[in-house]
């Protein structure tokens, strides 16, 4: 974790406060406002969009809609707990399991199943037992452990697509890595900026970390085609880069977990020694359980295990060991063929509903009279639609129509329902015509 | 993460070796020879150029900030936007032509260095120390069609990390086949049959959550607010004005709370203020705080020559620490010694801390579990609060609620007024968000369910007291059994000590003998987990201890 992460002037302020506190404390017996060591503190900048919910909650317009939430909602706009998850919980209750600490690396059975889920059981490195990993605190936790690990082992930069999930940047920066971007999305054409992306990748120095979204790129929803992935794989190999995948939507993007893992599996087949973070927040609907995995493909078994031992060194002084319940739920499902099939069906159900909403929204926009090209809404994949609305339009949509989405025009399709799609389409059309 | 070398000139300030890491140290020393190139593990310099505050002042983000009073619920872990850091250099920005070093293309806080010469392929300028491979146009020839398809070299220099000593012992216990083997190593409660114990109220709460079809949505960054509120009342007492004077967040049990507190202090109190931990302390404390970038020093605590508190030494060291230092204190049931100050001694400690303007960082991992009385076990830090000493409190529900594996805890900071509280909350959120976004909800839901239901709460207090009582009984019985076994040592410290552990005074050789000859597994510092003793194994253990300590001394 990085120390000098606040400016010198702020530090000086606090040191002054500390000194002042030290001399003043004799004078006052009460911890008043001024004699407290925290009195000079200022408000930290807030998480930019986290407050979206707050503003939305304060709005009492009856037809208000929020499409900022990155958590799945059913067609009634309600949170959805997968039935297979409920069943798994019941099974676990009946088993009367203890609540002892799990290992630093988490539940071994869970890690084993999680890795097989993404790499595929018949993957060569899996067969050769050279893919190993740890249970992680969902995606964020896995990314942070990875960032700390790589910073500790000589890395100073990481290359991420532009744009990327916002939290990537503070995660890696706080790990001690400098974040750099490679071009990814062309806002003009609402499409992948493939040519420039390849140009930028070719300029990345050898040995650098390159982060890629395994599927359902967040926020744009634009993924490379298989041919494009192939070219990326070859170039990255030629450049000698270190590929790292953020896999947060496996199964949730296309509805088929095997399909959603194709990019990752291709890289592995091509011989890359990849590392990867998986989140089970979206596909299993286990947002609050904080369940994920961080893994590496080693040149051999021993190497992969050594890297895992180093991961544990990062984890132990951070939180000792991970929470058990989420891991137990996923394990219960994935180790049972029927529950696994249920999961696949329910996950596909979520993806299908989202895709239906994409089509519906595009149709409704045309119906509303919009002459703009909204093809990107159905071209994009995953939870979000990168609408192309600019900030002013987004703000107007909030104020005039009480439709809330993030400032970059990113719409969470999960928040769109058959009940509100008309309203949303009209709002979007109104601010963009 | 940054490590700092501490000033070793004072005699009481020891090298911060982790006493509990002994098992791994030899292996680790061997590993150190095998260096990573370039920097070896644990000694990497952080790019000091990355300064957070300038990056936080982006215009878009400021705009959002103005319309937000404070953080709301985190519904969406994707909701941070890139507006957060819009000025991160892109490839195009970084690639400059020769001679452009003094004219940065992008306003980043880092002093710009030319990393690329666009004429040849990326060459790294000589002042870049990080390169694991120097990138010249030659190196591109490493990869051509004739090579095999594996990209080698990424992980090959990664050494094996030293194993965790305590877990190593637990593993050895598991593998042992001796019929009378005893595990008195790991600090988790066991019932009188030697089995893990899930509190009945915990089970009831879990059942209730299942029946209620509890959702699985994200918690806010700061955690479950109801849970945090209950936890604060539990810790500070009913009369405490939580709303206005306590900034509190849910944490990943005690480790997570210490880590958050350490992060907060390193960033906002200044890393030039060392943290003083008792000697000895829970081994992980030192790793946690070092990892946060704090200077870690020790104050005298336990007197091995008397098997009692070294009160004079403790006061001297706390006094000698420079003003504004952070003093880590175990709220009760000190780990590993079980030796706590008396209330009179606490008053003196708090008074001294106050006069030195130190910050008191309390680690409360055994509230209710130590004496059996939750109110009593909170007296030390409550007294400090009453004396207006600024405190941090790391709270764990692992032992007292038996929720070890669900990672439930809180970090709280007592502050002067609600404005300070809001500011501190905002800083804590900004630390948590890039760590794990939001905490896990299952454990906190359980604790909340129990503490908010008067009937369940009452039952809980009794269940917790029962655990404490059984341990107290075992202490007494062990002392008696040792006398019956013929030991002439003074074992009174075993009954004087409190909490999960007894610091017997046995040395490393005796502990090893216990393990090798008798298959009794414990840490080599002579610490035994009382929870691991029961009516079945008590006599066996007492006899074994008598055997290995007969004719020798158990004081240093």
């Amino acid at each position: 974790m990085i120390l000098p992460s606040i400016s010198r002037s702020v530090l000086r302020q606090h040191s002054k406060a500390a000194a002042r506190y030290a001399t003043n404390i004799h004078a006052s017996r009460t911890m008043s406002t001024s004699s407290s060591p925290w009195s000079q503190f200022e408000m930290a900048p807030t998480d930019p969009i986290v407050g979206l919910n707050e503003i939305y909650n304060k709005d009492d317009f009856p037809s208000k809609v929020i499409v900022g939430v990155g958590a799945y909602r059913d067609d009634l706009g309600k949170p959805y707990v997968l039935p297979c998850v409920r069943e798994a919980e019941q099974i676990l209750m009946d088993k009367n399991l203890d609540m002892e600490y799990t290992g630093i690396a988490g539940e071994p059975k869970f890690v084993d199943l999680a890795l097989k889920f993404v790499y595929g059981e018949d993957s060569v490195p899996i067969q050769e037992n050279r893919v190993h990993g740890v249970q992680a605190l969902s995606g964020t936790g896995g990314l942070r452990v990875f960032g700390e690990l790589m910073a500790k082992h000589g890395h100073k930069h990481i290359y991420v697509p532009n744009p990327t999930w916002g939290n990537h940047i503070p995660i890696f920066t706080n790990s001690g890595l400098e974040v750099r971007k490679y071009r990814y999305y062309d806002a003009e054409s609402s499409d992948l900026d493939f040519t420039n992306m390849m140009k930028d990748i070719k300029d990345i120095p050898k040995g650098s970390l390159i982060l890629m979204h395994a599927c359902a790129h967040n926020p744009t929803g634009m993924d490379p085609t298989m041919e494009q992935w192939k070219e990326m794989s070859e170039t990255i190999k030629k450049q000698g880069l270190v590929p790292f995948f953020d896999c947060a939507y496996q199964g949730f993007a296309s509805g088929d977990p095997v399909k959603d893992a194709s990019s990752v599996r291709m890289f592995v087949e091509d011989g890359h020694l990849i590392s990867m973070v998986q989140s089970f927040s979206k596909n299993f609907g286990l947002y609050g359980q904080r369940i994920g995995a961080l893994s590496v493909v080693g040149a051999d078994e021993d190497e992969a295990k050594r890297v895992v031992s180093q991961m544990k060194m990062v984890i132990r002084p951070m939180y000792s060991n991970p929470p058990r319940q989420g891991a137990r739920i996923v394990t219960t499902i994935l180790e049972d063929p029927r529950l696994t099939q249920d999961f696949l069906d329910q996950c596909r159900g979520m993806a299908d509903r989202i895709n239906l909403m994409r089509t519906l929204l595009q149709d409704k926009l045309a119906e509303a009279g919009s002459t703009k090209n909204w093809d990107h809404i159905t071209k994009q994949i995953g939870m979000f639609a990168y609408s192309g609305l600019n900030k002013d339009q987004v703000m107007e949509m909030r104020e005039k129509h009480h439709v809330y989405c993030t400032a970059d025009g990113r719409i969470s399709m999960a928040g769109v329902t058959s009940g509100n799609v008309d309203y949303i389409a009209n709002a979007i059309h109104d601010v963009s015509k | 993460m940054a490590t700092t070398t501490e000033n070793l000139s004072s005699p009481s300030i020891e090298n911060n070796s982790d006493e509990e890491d002994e098992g791994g140290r030899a292996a680790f020393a061997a590993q150190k020879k095998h260096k990573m190139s370039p920097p070896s593990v644990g000694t990497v310099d952080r790019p000091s150029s990355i300064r957070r505050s300038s990056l936080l002042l982006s215009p878009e983000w400021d705009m959002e900030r103005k319309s937000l009073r404070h953080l709301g619920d985190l519904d969406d872990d994707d909701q941070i936007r890139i507006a957060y850091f819009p000025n991160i250099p892109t490839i195009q920005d970084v690639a400059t032509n020769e001679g452009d070093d003094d004219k940065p293309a992008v306003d980043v806080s880092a002093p710009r260095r030319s990393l690329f010469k666009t004429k040849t392929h990326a060459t790294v300028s000589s002042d870049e120390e990080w390169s694991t491979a120097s990138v010249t146009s030659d190196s591109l020839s490493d990869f051509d069609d004739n090579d095999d398809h594996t990209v080698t070299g990424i992980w090959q220099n990664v050494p094996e990390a030293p194993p965790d000593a305590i877990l190593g012992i637990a593993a050895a216990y598991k593998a042992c086949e001796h019929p009378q083997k005893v595990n008195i190593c790991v600090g988790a409660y066991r019932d009188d049959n030697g089995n893990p114990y899930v509190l009945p109220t915990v089970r009831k709460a879990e059942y209730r959550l299942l029946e209620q079809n509890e959702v699985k949505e994200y918690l806010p960054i700061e955690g479950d607010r109801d849970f945090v509120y209950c936890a604060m009342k539990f810790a500070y007492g009913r009369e405490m004005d939580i709303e206005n004077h306590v900034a509190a967040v849910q944490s990943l049990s005690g480790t997570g709370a210490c880590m958050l507190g350490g992060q907060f202090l390193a960033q906002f109190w200044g890393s030039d203020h060392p943290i003083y931990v008792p000697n000895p302390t829970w081994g992980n404390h030192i790793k946690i705080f070092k990892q946060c970038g704090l200077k870690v020093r020790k104050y005298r605590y336990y007197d091995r020559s008397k098997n009692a508190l070294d009160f004079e030494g403790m006061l001297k060291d706390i006094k000698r620490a420079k003003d504004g230092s952070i003093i880590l204190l175990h709220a009760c049931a000190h780990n590993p010694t079980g030796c706590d100050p008396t209330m009179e001694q606490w008053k003196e400690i708090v008074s001294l801390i106050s006069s030195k303007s130190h910050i008191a960082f309390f680690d409360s991992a055994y509230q209710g579990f130590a004496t059996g009385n939750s109110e009593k076990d909170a007296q030390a830090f409550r007294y400090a609060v009453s004396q207006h000493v600024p405190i941090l409190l790391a709270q764990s529900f692992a032992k007292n609620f038996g929720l070890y594996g669900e990672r439930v805890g809180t970090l709280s900071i007592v502050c002067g007024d609600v404005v300070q509280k809001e500011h501190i909350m905002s800083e804590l959120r900004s630390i948590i968000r890039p760590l794990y976004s939001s905490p896990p909800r299952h454990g906190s839901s359980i604790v909340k369910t129990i503490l908010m239901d008067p009937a369940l709460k009452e039952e809980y207090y009794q269940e917790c007291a029962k655990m404490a009582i059984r341990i107290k009984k075992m202490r007494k019985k062990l002392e008696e059994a040792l006398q019956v076994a013929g030991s002439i040592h003074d074992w009174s410290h075993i009954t004087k000590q409190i909490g999960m552990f007894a610091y017997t005074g046995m040395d490393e050789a005796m502990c090893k003998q216990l393990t090798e000859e008798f298959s009794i597994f414990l840490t080599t510092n002579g610490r035994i987990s009382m929870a691991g003793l029961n009516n079945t194994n008590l006599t066996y253990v007492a006899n074994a201890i008598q055997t290995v300590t007969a004719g020798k001394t158990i004081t240093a």
Side-chain angles (χ1 to χ4, degrees), chain B residues 484-504:
Chain B
V484 165
S487 178
I488 52 168
H489 292 301
D490 176 9
W491 293 105
S492 61
H493 49 285
I494 290 188
T495 38
K496 282 192 205 137
Q497 289 162 5
I498 198 169
M500 186 89 81
F501 304 108
Y503 217 46
T504 56

Side-chain angles (χ1 to χ4, degrees), chain B residues 22 102 113 158 171 223 342 407 465 504 525 530:
Chain B
E22 290 158 68
D102 36 358
R113 293 184 268 195
V158 175
T342 63
R407 320 311 290 130
T504 56
N525 57 2
M530 294 309 300

Side-chain angles (χ1 to χ4, degrees), chain B residues 467-536:
Chain B
M467 290 195 283
I469 288 167
R470 190 183 94 69
I471 286 187
K472 273 195 213 163
K473 267 204 195 126
M474 282 299 121
R475 288 186 180 277
K476 198 144 192 295
K477 286 189 166 176
L478 180 62
E479 196 189 5
E480 285 165 2
L482 283 163
Q483 286 160 4
V484 165
S487 178
I488 52 168
H489 292 301
D490 176 9
W491 293 105
S492 61
H493 49 285
I494 290 188
T495 38
K496 282 192 205 137
Q497 289 162 5
I498 198 169
M500 186 89 81
F501 304 108
Y503 217 46
T504 56
M506 290 188 288
D507 62 30
E508 188 170 337
M510 296 171 190
C511 297
K512 286 213 167 101
Q513 192 184 352
L514 274 181
T515 308
E516 279 153 25
E517 265 184 53
F518 298 95
S519 296
I520 294 171
F521 293 80
L522 73 169
T523 49
T524 50
N525 57 2
R527 184 195 83 166
I528 65 177
S529 167
M530 294 309 300
L533 289 177
N534 52 53
N535 288 309
T536 315

Side-chain angles (χ1 to χ4, degrees), chain A residues 1 5 33 41 45 47-49 96-97 140 165 179-180 200 203 218 249 306 310 320 391 408, chain B residues 1 52 60-61 77-81 88 92 115-116 158-159 203 213 216 255 263 407 417 423 437:
Chain A
M1 291 170 211
S5 56
T33 307
F41 274 54
D47 199 82
I49 306 311
N96 243 353
L97 298 171
T140 310
W165 178 47
V179 180
R180 294 177 175 169
D200 284 354
D203 275 341
N218 179 0
Y249 298 98
R306 287 202 313 272
Q310 293 292 340
S320 282
K391 208 185 321 220
D408 59 351
Chain B
M1 308 184 195
R52 210 176 68 164
E60 286 110 58
W61 203 49
D77 77 348
D78 296 356
Q79 293 228 30
I80 286 194
R81 292 312 304 129
I88 297 296
Q92 297 312 107
L115 297 173
F116 289 82
V158 175
R203 277 281 179 248
N213 271 338
K216 307 258 177 284
T255 309
Q263 282 283 298
R407 320 311 290 130
D417 59 34
H423 292 176
S437 282

Side-chain angles (χ1 to χ4, degrees), chain A residues 172-193:
Chain A
F172 293 122
T173 309
N174 279 289
S175 302
L177 296 172
E178 191 197 321
V179 180
R180 294 177 175 169
K181 293 180 178 174
Y182 55 88
R183 278 172 294 185
Y184 187 80
Y185 187 72
D186 179 20
E188 293 285 309
S189 58
S190 288
D191 204 345
L192 198 64
D193 192 359

Side-chain angles (χ1 to χ4, degrees), chain B residues 70 127 151 266 326 328 538:
Chain B
H70 55 267
D127 59 344
V151 179
I326 308 152
L328 182 83
L538 187 66

Side-chain angles (χ1 to χ4, degrees), chain A residues 84-242:
Chain A
C84 62
V85 165
R86 280 270 175 257
E87 204 183 322
E89 278 189 299
Q90 187 62 64
I91 292 171
L92 288 167
M93 273 300 285
D94 295 339
K95 277 191 182 165
N96 243 353
L97 298 171
D98 63 44
M99 299 216 157
E100 295 297 291
Y101 292 118
T102 185
I104 299 175
E107 315 272 322
K109 195 86 206 335
F110 161 75
V111 176
D112 184 56
L113 288 166
L115 300 191
K116 290 192 168 122
F117 181 66
V118 69
Y119 291 96
E121 262 190 63
D122 44 3
S123 157
V124 167
I126 291 265
Q127 298 280 318
E128 292 175 354
N129 200 21
R130 50 187 179 90
V131 185
H132 289 281
V134 298
Q135 181 181 336
L137 293 164
S138 199
T140 310
L143 290 163
R144 183 60 179 262
V145 170
F146 181 74
E148 297 280 351
L149 180 75
M150 299 317 268
K152 219 171 158 186
H153 285 81
H155 285 269
K156 299 225 165 148
H157 317 275
I158 182 165
Y159 290 81
V160 303
N162 183 11
T164 191
W165 178 47
N167 205 17
H168 276 151
I169 293 154
I171 291 171
F172 293 122
T173 309
N174 279 289
S175 302
L177 296 172
E178 191 197 321
V179 180
R180 294 177 175 169
K181 293 180 178 174
Y182 55 88
R183 278 172 294 185
Y184 187 80
Y185 187 72
D186 179 20
E188 293 285 309
S189 58
S190 288
D191 204 345
L192 198 64
D193 192 359
F194 189 66
T195 320
N196 282 324
M197 172 164 74
M198 295 316 293
K199 270 209 194 111
D200 284 354
I201 289 182
K202 288 186 179 124
D203 275 341
I204 299 178
K206 178 173 173 170
S208 300
L209 282 166
I210 175 168
L211 179 149
M212 292 167 283
H213 297 222
C215 66
H217 179 273
N218 179 0
T220 68
M222 284 307 303
D223 288 343
T225 61
M226 284 317 283
E227 290 73 34
Q228 290 171 328
W229 274 120
K230 194 72 191 174
E231 202 181 320
M232 288 165 70
S233 170
E234 280 161 8
T235 308
I236 285 171
K237 192 186 276 193
K238 271 214 173 72
Q239 289 292 113
L241 306 182
V242 181

